[in-house]
Amino acid sequence: MARDERVTLLEVHQALPEEQFQTLKFLLEGQVPAGLLLPASRSELCRILLQRFPGNSLRVTAGILRQLGRLDLIQRFQLPLEEQIPEEAPWEPNGDTPKVRGDPTSGCRPGRIPAPPVNSRRLTEKDLMQVAQRLGKEWQEVGILHLGLERSRLEQIQEENPGNPVLWNFEMLLEWRRRERHEATVSQLQSCLEPARLDPGILDFLQSLQRD
C-alpha cells in the first residue's frame, strides 16, 4: 500500500507543469517547513509528504490540487478528497485581539493563500509605484498591520533608501509581492489596504485597475 501511495504521488507531481508544482509547494508551506519545501524536487517532495503524512499524503495533495483547480488530476488518479478538508488552511484562533499580520478575512497574513478572483490580475511594478506615490507617512504601520511584514525588514528598506519615502513605499510593496508570489493580485492588495487609514485615492486607483 505504501509503495502504491508513493508511486501515485510521484505520478501526480510529474503531471504538474513546473509553475504549478512550485505553487503546490508554496501552498504546502502552512503544513511543511518552507526550508524543506523550497529546494525539494518532485521525488524529494514525495518523500517529505510520505514522512509527514503517513497514509494521508494523497489526501493532503488532493486538497492542494483542488486549490490549484486541478480537479482533472484528482479524478485521473482517483485521489481521496473528503468534504471536511477545507480548500484553504484554517486560520489560527484569533481571540478578541487582532494579530498584527492583517485582517484574517483579507488573506494578507503570511501563510494565508486565498485563491485570487478570476478577473484579478497580478500587480506590475508600475502598479506598485503608482500605489507607492499615494501612500503617506504611515507606511510602516501599513506594512506591519495590513501587509504582514516585519518591522526589521521595513527599517532595512529605509536604511537602504535614505531620504526617499516613495522608494520606501515601493520596496515595501515589492517585498509583499515577493512573499505573495502568484497571489499578489490587484484584488488581494485592495483587500489588504481597505481596513487601513489611507488616502481614498489609493483604493480608487486599485479599483480602476480591476476594471482595466
Side-chain angles (χ1 to χ4, degrees), residues 5-6 9-10 12-14 16 20-29 31-34 36-53 57 60-61 64-65 68:
E5 185 179 356
R6 180 186 298 273
L9 202 58
L10 183 58
V12 170
H13 291 171
Q14 289 175 337
L16 288 170
Q20 289 190 345
F21 176 65
Q22 295 301 325
T23 304
L24 179 141
K25 291 198 293 183
F26 179 55
L27 293 173
L28 280 167
E29 285 186 11
Q31 304 177 66
V32 181
L36 294 176
L37 287 173
L38 294 179
S41 65
R42 295 170 196 255
S43 59
E44 288 168 345
L45 183 60
C46 289
R47 176 180 55 79
I48 291 169
L49 293 177
L50 288 166
Q51 288 177 348
R52 292 202 161 249
F53 309 102
S57 64
V60 171
T61 300
I64 301 296
L65 290 175
L68 290 174

Side-chain angles (χ1 to χ4, degrees), residues 1 63 71 83 93 99 102 106 119 124 132 152 154 161 170 173 209:
M1 181 67 180
L71 299 180
E83 288 302 318
K99 303 228 178 185
S106 69
N119 63 347
T124 66
S152 58
L154 299 181
N161 303 277
F170 178 65
L173 293 169
L209 294 180

Side-chain angles (χ1 to χ4, degrees), residues 118-150:
V118 175
N119 63 347
S120 185
R121 65 173 174 81
R122 195 166 184 268
L123 287 153
T124 66
E125 290 190 3
K126 180 180 178 181
D127 297 333
L128 295 181
M129 178 56 78
Q130 289 179 284
V131 174
Q133 291 171 341
R134 292 170 166 85
L135 281 176
K137 298 178 181 178
E138 297 79 16
W139 69 287
Q140 287 198 12
E141 177 182 332
V142 171
I144 295 170
L145 290 178
H146 303 287
L147 300 181
L149 301 176
E150 299 294 335

